């Protein structure tokens, strides 16, 4: 195919692609995202290709490995079009039956469909599954329909139509005004209005400007940007080109983590394909607009998600932040105007230009428009990526979409905003998700990490964990962050070990305040959030650790003991056989006893004790009862005596 010289040529090419596709022919889409690949998606794809060829169906049935549709808990995910039949946890051995039943005879293999644990009913279509039913997927929706290595799939779904519209029908100023009118706020963390950021760069006097994709996603448990990069790279690339057109930039960058090899590979391929068709490079679609894109692989430092550190890294220096005397959109990369937005922000831009700002603003709250993608992980039944309208409550996300807390445990808190975010307690479950709402609650939107915690989670230990992460990731350039976080981590560690003392909470508050006020960049300024939010909502846990040497959640290793309840022990020996420290004494029909001096508190005995007995219990703050006297340890004798 020759280079496309006009918007009309692009549309003609799109129609040609569609004319070669029969919408009624079966198409098997298999998620090839990182999570499903880890669960065997590659073997499933190979099995489909082999079985379809063996059955002589290659001419009429197509297969494709696609981007992540989100339901990672149930991967590998397979969707069969045009019926949109969704099969979950598919293995290679299931493929012959799917081909025989669904592809050839149009019958559903019910055992592979989602089964609602509450009702026992099967859901055939993706949209019937509760996990998907309450979502509003505008950015993620095409992931399962696109082979990310084929630009034709993106074009068939209307890809680059927004670019053609902008270059053929709109001035660069009109594109900017449409983005401003949409009031889209950056999905990377701070929530700054993207249109205002773009306008600042556009109005800057320096003629050479840059647009940059922040793909340095490093939050523990977060993979929203990675899924988009791997699954639909052209949507981000198209948004970047539109941004370049609006602000007058002719050069753009992808700053992506090196440990995202599939994302890096797909971005490079997308750039090559776009250049081949004249959608990138010189004189795009005959408009006279030139734009080139360069991919930079970061080394994986969390601080490089911060704008100035990212740009310093792009310049070839150590990724350290610098003072923002002038905003980066005016004086950024190589001291030139630079617009930095994250992956999800850029992926929204083609939708805004194509469908209009009014369509975008029809969703969301007064101050937070559109949808937001979250990675829902932790103590939650359905883990994965969810895209919801701004304004949906935390309760709806966690219970209606996430399926609630497993094992009949009680919800305790949800941590949003990544390691610099905060923990929101149960009484705020009806909080609407939005930039300002989360900030008022002591947390933040961040890039979209959402970690659910149950009653077994110690909130002091949660604060210690995130402060430890941020201490390790601090670049060390400024004292409040480098030394302040280190001291906060030391004190929090002591508290979780039962070595806390009076005055520790006040000292932590002072250190947190100093880091917020005096740190150089957002990492240091937001780092105390995990401590401040857990102290605000769970202060009694801090006080119990310090005053009573007790962990209310029974989680801190140094503050708990394991004890075998003699009334429940059946002498089965399961705990004794698996104790790695040989700390359990007992035999068949003999009440088992834990030698507290030998016990390492690893918790193996607690985990392996059969639930129907639940003989092993945790104690914290209370003395361990004396062992059962030797003459009373025989279980049979004990029953006889009771009778």
């Amino acid at each position: 195919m020759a280079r496309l010289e006009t918007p009309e040529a692009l549309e003609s090419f799109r129609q040609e692609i569609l004319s070669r596709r029969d919408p009624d022919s079966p198409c098997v889409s298999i998620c090839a995202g990182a999570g499903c690949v880890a669960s065997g998606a590659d073997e499933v794809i190979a099995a489909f290709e082999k079985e379809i060829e063996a059955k002589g169906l290659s001419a009429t049935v197509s297969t494709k490995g696609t981007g992540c549709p989100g339901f990672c808990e149930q991967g590998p995910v397979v969707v069969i079009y045009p019926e949109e039949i969704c099969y979950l946890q598919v293995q290679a051995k299931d493929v012959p039956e799917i081909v025989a039943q669904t592809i050839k005879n149009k019958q559903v293999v019910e055992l592979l469909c989602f089964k609602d644990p509450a009702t026992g009913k099967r859901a055939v279509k993706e949209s019937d599954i509760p996990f998907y039913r309450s979502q509003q997927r505008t950015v993620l929706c095409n992931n399962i329909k696109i082979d990310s290595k084929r630009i034709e799939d993106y074009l068939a779904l209307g890809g680059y139509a927004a670019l053609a519209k902008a270059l053929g029908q709109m001035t660069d100023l009109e594109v900017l005004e449409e983005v401003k009118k949409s009031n889209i706020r950056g999905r990377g963390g701070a929530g700054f209005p993207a249109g205002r950021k773009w306008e600042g760069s556009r109005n800057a006097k320096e003629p050479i400007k840059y647009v940059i994709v922040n793909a340095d996603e490093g939050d523990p448990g977060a993979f929203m940007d990675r899924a988009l990069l791997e699954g639909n790279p052209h949507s981000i690339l198209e948004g970047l080109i539109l941004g370049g057109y609006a602000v007058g930039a002719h050069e753009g960058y992808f700053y992506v983590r090196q440990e995202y090899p599939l994302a890096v590979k797909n971005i490079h391929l997308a750039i090559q394909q776009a250049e081949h068709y004249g959608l990138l490079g010189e004189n795009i679609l005959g408009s006279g607009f030139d734009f080139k894109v360069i991919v930079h692989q970061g080394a994986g430092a969390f601080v490089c998600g911060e704008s100035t550190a990212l740009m310093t890294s792009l310049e070839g220096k150590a990724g350290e932040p610098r003072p923002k005397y002038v905003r980066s959109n005016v004086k950024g990369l190589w001291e030139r105007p630079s617009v930095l937005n994250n992956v999800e922000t850029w992926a929204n831009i083609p939708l805004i230009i194509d469908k209009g700002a009014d369509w975008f603003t029809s969703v969301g709250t007064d101050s937070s428009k559109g949808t937001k993608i979250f990675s829902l992980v932790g103590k939650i039944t359905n883990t994965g990526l969810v895209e919801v309208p701004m304004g949906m409550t935390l309760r709806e996300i966690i219970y209606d979409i996430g399926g609630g807390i497993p094992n009949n445990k009680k919800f305790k808190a949800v941590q949003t905003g990544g390691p610099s975010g905060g923990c929101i307690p149960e009484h705020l479950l009806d909080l609407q998700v939005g930039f300002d709402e989360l900030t008022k609650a002591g947390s933040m939107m961040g890039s979209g990490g959402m970690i659910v915690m149950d009653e077994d989670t110690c909130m002091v230990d949660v604060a210690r964990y995130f402060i430890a992460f941020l201490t390790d990731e601090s670049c060390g350039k400024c004292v409040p962050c480098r030394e302040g976080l280190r001291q906060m981590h030391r004190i929090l560690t002591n508290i979780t070990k039962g070595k806390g003392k009076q005055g520790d909470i006040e000292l932590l508050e002072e250190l947190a305040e100093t880091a917020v006020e005096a740190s150089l960049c957002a990492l240091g300024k937001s780092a105390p959030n995990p401590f401040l939010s857990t102290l605000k909502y769970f202060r009694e846990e801090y006080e119990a650790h310090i005053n009573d040497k007790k962990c209310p959640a029974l989680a801190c290793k140094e503050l708990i003991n394991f004890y075998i309840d003699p009334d429940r022990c059946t002498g089965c020996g399961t705990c004794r056989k698996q104790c790695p420290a040989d700390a359990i004494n007992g035999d068949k029909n003999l009440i088992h006893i834990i030698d507290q001096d030998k016990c390492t508190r690893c918790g193996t005995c607690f985990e392996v004790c059969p639930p129907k007995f639940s003989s092993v219990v945790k104690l914290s703050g209370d003395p361990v009862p004396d062992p059962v006297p030797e003459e009373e340890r025989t279980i049979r004798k004990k029953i006889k005596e009771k009778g």
Side-chain angles (χ1 to χ4, degrees):
M1 178 68 196
R3 180 184 172 89
L4 302 168
E5 299 291 353
T6 64
E8 292 75 20
L10 170 63
E11 186 56 31
S12 177
F13 182 44
R14 190 190 325 281
Q15 295 305 319
E16 182 185 329
I17 294 170
L18 292 172
S19 69
R20 294 197 299 265
R21 299 183 175 191
D22 181 357
D24 296 324
S25 293
C27 175
V28 184
S29 292
I30 307 113
C31 172
C36 283
V37 167
S39 300
D42 285 344
E43 290 80 3
V44 174
I45 294 171
F48 267 112
E49 292 173 345
K50 182 180 177 182
E51 186 70 13
I52 287 170
E53 184 178 2
K55 299 299 180 186
L57 299 171
S58 300
T60 55
V61 180
S62 59
T63 62
K64 63 175 69 175
T66 71
C68 173
F71 205 2
C72 307
E73 177 80 20
Q74 299 284 337
V77 178
V78 173
V79 179
I80 298 174
Y81 295 95
E83 295 85 0
E84 299 184 16
I85 297 170
C86 181
Y87 291 141
L88 303 173
Q89 295 183 325
V90 177
Q91 301 298 311
K93 63 182 174 58
D94 301 320
V95 171
E97 185 179 8
I98 295 174
V99 173
Q101 296 295 325
T102 307
I103 303 295
K104 295 188 72 174
N105 296 322
K106 303 298 180 186
Q107 293 179 349
V108 175
V109 183
E110 288 201 359
L111 285 177
L112 294 174
C113 294
F114 176 80
K115 182 180 180 182
D116 192 325
T119 64
K121 291 184 178 178
R122 299 279 180 179
V124 176
K125 292 186 177 183
E126 186 184 79
S127 55
D128 295 331
I129 300 173
F131 177 79
Y132 290 110
R133 197 165 52 212
S134 299
Q135 296 188 44
Q136 186 167 340
R137 297 154 65 88
T138 56
V139 178
L140 277 177
C141 62
N142 286 334
N143 270 21
I144 194 64
K145 301 174 184 173
I146 291 177
D147 179 344
S148 55
K149 295 179 175 55
R150 300 187 63 203
I151 189 174
E152 290 80 4
D153 278 8
Y154 185 65
L155 292 173
L157 292 170
Y160 290 106
L163 180 63
K165 178 182 177 181
L167 297 181
Q169 304 172 30
M170 303 171 73
T171 65
D172 47 7
L173 182 59
E174 286 173 333
V175 172
L176 173 65
E177 291 300 325
E178 198 70 17
V179 173
K180 283 176 62 182
K181 187 179 173 186
S182 74
N183 199 22
I184 181 172
R185 298 172 66 172
R187 267 50 176 166
F192 192 82
R196 281 174 51 196
K197 183 184 285 187
W198 291 22
E199 187 175 43
S201 281
R202 178 188 169 88
N203 293 338
K205 292 181 180 177
E206 167 64 45
I208 299 176
K209 312 171 197 293
Y210 304 107
V211 284
I212 307 167
V213 179
N214 183 352
D216 189 61
E217 183 179 58
D219 299 9
F223 52 103
M224 304 79 62
D225 293 347
R226 177 179 185 167
L228 281 174
L229 289 165
E230 293 176 351
N232 196 356
H234 282 288
S235 66
I236 306 152
L237 182 58
E238 185 180 3
L240 188 67
I241 302 169
L242 287 165
Y245 178 64
V247 305
H250 297 281
E251 194 167 306
Y253 289 86
F254 276 83
Y255 187 95
V256 57
R257 287 193 161 225
Q258 194 167 21
E259 62 256 46
Y260 285 5
L262 182 58
V264 172
K265 181 180 177 181
N266 287 356
I267 292 164
H268 275 294
L269 187 58
I271 291 170
Q272 290 171 13
Q273 292 172 339
E275 288 175 339
H276 175 78
Y277 285 114
L279 301 167
L280 189 62
E282 295 182 357
N283 193 22
I284 297 173
L285 293 175
S287 65
F289 176 60
D290 303 333
F291 190 76
K292 69 175 182 179
V293 175
I294 298 164
V295 177
H296 181 97
Q297 298 182 49
F302 181 74
V303 71
C304 285
E306 196 275 339
S307 61
T308 59
L310 185 152
M311 292 179 194
T312 305
S313 177
L314 259 179
E315 292 170 356
K317 305 168 190 170
E320 295 179 346
R322 54 196 182 208
K324 288 185 180 178
Y325 302 125
V326 181
R327 287 187 179 277
S328 299
N329 63 336
V330 176
K331 201 170 185 179
L333 184 62
W334 290 298
E335 300 196 345
R336 288 167 174 157
S338 306
V339 170
L340 176 72
N341 284 130
N342 95 321
V343 168
E344 189 181 341
T345 311
W346 288 117
N348 268 291
I349 299 303
L351 298 172
I352 293 170
I353 299 303
D354 190 36
K355 299 183 179 183
D358 291 339
W359 164 82
F360 188 79
T361 56
S362 67
V363 177
T365 66
D366 289 343
S367 60
S368 301
K369 299 298 184 184
T371 61
K372 179 74 189 81
I373 302 173
F374 293 97
S375 64
L376 190 60
V377 297
K379 304 294 180 64
I380 187 87
T381 300
N382 302 326
T383 60
L385 294 181
V386 303
E387 183 178 354
V388 299
M390 295 281 197
M392 180 174 271
T393 67
L394 289 168
R395 187 186 301 278
E396 290 171 318
I397 295 173
I398 292 168
Y399 286 93
D400 296 349
I401 297 174
I405 316 301
N407 302 319
N408 295 317
K409 295 285 184 178
K410 188 181 177 190
F411 171 86
K412 186 166 189 177
V414 58
Q415 202 263 1
T416 69
S420 303
C423 296
I424 300 172
E426 185 181 18
H427 75 270
L428 292 179
L429 266 177
D430 291 316
L431 181 76
Q432 289 186 320
V433 170
F435 291 99
D436 301 329
E437 291 81 357
L438 290 173
T439 300
K440 286 176 186 173
S443 187
M444 57 193 283
M445 182 74 78
S447 57
M450 189 174 280
I451 303 174
V452 180
M453 303 166 189
D454 69 9
E455 62 190 76
D456 294 335
T457 307
C458 172
M459 303 313 292
V460 183
D461 195 49
V462 165
R464 182 204 59 78
Y465 168 79
F466 284 116
I467 295 295
F469 175 85
L470 294 164
T471 302
D472 288 343
E473 294 294 339
S474 171
C475 73
K477 190 172 184 177
C478 67
V479 174
C481 179
R482 184 186 67 230
E483 298 301 330
L485 292 183
R486 187 181 301 174
Q487 292 306 313
M488 289 184 72
H489 178 239
R490 182 184 63 79
I491 297 168
L492 287 167
T493 301
N494 282 341
I495 293 174
T496 58
K497 287 184 175 180
K499 299 176 182 175
K501 58 183 185 298
Q502 299 300 319
D504 277 353
I505 292 177
E506 291 73 18
L507 183 54
L508 282 167
E509 289 178 309
E510 189 175 338
L511 288 165
E513 183 181 349
T514 303
V516 171
E517 292 294 328
S519 292
L520 179 61
C521 78
L523 188 150
K525 290 181 181 298
S526 59
N529 281 347
F531 161 70
L532 292 172
S533 62
T534 52
L535 181 67
K536 178 179 180 181
Y537 296 119
F538 303 94
R539 189 182 185 99
E540 70 281 2
E541 291 201 21
Y542 282 87
E543 293 171 344
H545 280 72
I546 294 171
N547 300 334
D548 307 325
K549 308 304 177 191
K550 177 180 182 179
C551 175
L554 301 172
C556 291
K557 188 176 177 181
E558 284 78 1
L559 292 178
I560 60 172
N561 292 104
F562 292 91
Y563 170 70
I564 297 177
D565 186 339
D567 292 331
R568 294 180 181 175
C569 181
T570 63
C572 70
T574 303
C575 59
R576 177 177 56 80
K577 292 171 187 171
Q578 300 201 38
C579 175
D582 195 24
I584 299 179
N585 178 279
D587 206 343
K588 192 175 181 181
N589 295 326
L590 200 64
I591 292 172
H592 286 39
I593 295 171
I594 297 177
D595 184 335
Q596 299 296 328
D597 292 332
K598 285 186 177 180
C599 180
T600 60
R601 301 180 180 87
C602 68
T604 300
C605 56
F606 184 82
E607 293 169 3
V608 302
C609 182
K612 60 182 178 181
F613 304 139
S614 299
S615 307
V616 181
V617 296
K618 291 181 183 178
L619 300 171
S620 183
D622 298 315
V624 179
D626 292 333
V628 178
E630 198 64 32
E631 61 274 16
E632 297 179 16
R633 290 183 61 188
T634 302
I635 296 173
R636 187 176 300 167
K637 180 182 176 183
K638 184 178 170 185
I639 293 172
K640 191 179 292 182
E641 286 177 350
K642 280 189 175 178

